Amino acid sequence: MRKLLLSILFLSISSFALSLNQVRADLKTSALAQDSIEMSIRTTVNSSAGKQTVSIYMVKKGASKIYTEMKAPFISQRSIVNGSRMKVVDLKTNKIHVLPYNGEVLGTKTYSRFNPLDSGDWQEPVFVSENLYKIMGTKGTAYYNSKNKRIEKFESSDAEKSSLTTFTYDAENNLKTMEVSVIAGDMETKVTTEILALRSSKKFPDKLFEF
């Protein structure tokens, strides 16, 4: 009888087991390839200084072709990367600059990276309740839903500030919003990123990369 109870207990614990490698594999499977992506997003920042909105449109086709448009109160610009060259267009003045491009990371590219487990050191998942697991790492703590195979929230803190990122999804499990709340002292800043479009870039015309 005792052996039977121990076996049941072991099986129950095993059923909750989830490895970090499995989580990373599931997230990678459900994500679009980062080198073949078309996306449109809107980011709104609310702070004590006021409200500011930035609109981003970005297309990547392979490692050497990147098309971006950024519109904000302080900038309105289009950048086109094709191989070792980059064309920058000021959309307010229509001034054009063609510059060498050596592969440096464009600011807009960071918007396509919504997975906190892509980098850094992380511990194995710890079961919390039902389908929710906690994954602690050097960058903070992620909460993963094993049933829907997605990150639900991410939190981090240091001596100066704490932050909480909440992810929401549509009925097809596509990421729709990412809301970040940062508290530093008595001040709170909220950054909301809305994913207006997210798809493969295979239908984007190659001729728009030519210049």
Side-chain angles (χ1 to χ4, degrees):
M1 184 66 177
R2 184 180 178 183
K3 290 183 178 180
L4 178 60
L5 291 174
L6 289 174
S7 297
I8 294 173
L9 179 60
F10 176 77
L11 290 173
S12 297
I13 295 173
S14 298
S15 66
F16 294 135
L18 181 70
S19 71
L20 179 61
N21 287 337
Q22 184 180 341
V23 172
R24 282 177 163 160
D26 289 341
L27 290 174
K28 187 176 181 179
T29 300
S30 61
L32 289 171
Q34 290 298 303
D35 62 350
S36 181
I37 192 170
E38 180 180 357
M39 66 185 304
S40 176
I41 67 175
R42 179 171 58 233
T43 298
T44 304
V45 180
N46 282 286
S47 68
S48 58
K51 180 178 179 180
Q52 184 176 341
T53 300
V54 179
S55 295
I56 302 285
Y57 174 71
M58 185 189 75
V59 180
K60 286 189 67 181
K61 294 194 79 171
S64 62
K65 294 182 179 180
I66 309 169
Y67 180 104
T68 65
E69 287 188 3
M70 177 183 290
K71 295 182 180 179
F74 55 89
I75 189 173
S76 184
Q77 178 179 287
R78 178 185 299 125
S79 301
I80 303 172
V81 173
N82 193 339
S84 60
R85 297 191 306 154
M86 178 170 66
K87 178 181 178 181
V88 180
V89 182
D90 187 320
L91 297 176
K92 292 182 177 179
T93 64
N94 288 323
K95 289 184 178 180
I96 299 174
H97 298 281
V98 177
L99 309 168
Y101 178 74
N102 59 7
E104 67 268 20
V105 176
L106 300 179
T108 52
K109 289 175 67 176
T110 60
Y111 285 91
S112 65
R113 299 170 184 166
F114 298 118
N115 181 5
L117 303 184
D118 271 344
S119 60
D121 295 324
W122 297 91
Q123 299 178 16
E124 290 297 319
V126 176
F127 178 74
V128 177
S129 63
E130 293 189 15
N131 304 305
L132 192 64
Y133 288 79
K134 179 170 67 174
I135 306 174
M136 301 178 67
T138 53
K139 295 184 177 182
T141 302
Y143 290 84
Y144 177 74
N145 186 314
S146 61
K147 179 180 179 181
N148 296 319
K149 299 183 180 357
R150 67 195 191 191
I151 300 291
E152 299 286 351
K153 61 180 180 178
F154 177 78
E155 56 187 16
S156 64
S157 62
D158 55 33
E160 298 180 352
K161 65 182 183 302
S162 63
S163 68
L164 173 64
T165 303
T166 304
F167 303 89
T168 63
Y169 302 80
D170 63 16
E172 298 179 349
N173 212 29
N174 298 312
L175 182 63
K176 294 305 296 179
T177 64
M178 182 172 64
E179 184 173 283
V180 183
S181 174
V182 180
I183 298 177
D186 297 329
M187 299 182 63
E188 181 179 14
T189 300
K190 287 188 175 183
V191 182
T192 302
T193 299
E194 303 169 83
I195 294 84
L196 307 177
L198 182 62
R199 53 184 170 262
S200 169
S201 62
K202 62 182 180 180
K203 293 184 179 180
F204 188 82
D206 285 328
K207 66 179 181 181
L208 293 181
F209 292 103
E210 299 174 2
F211 60 89

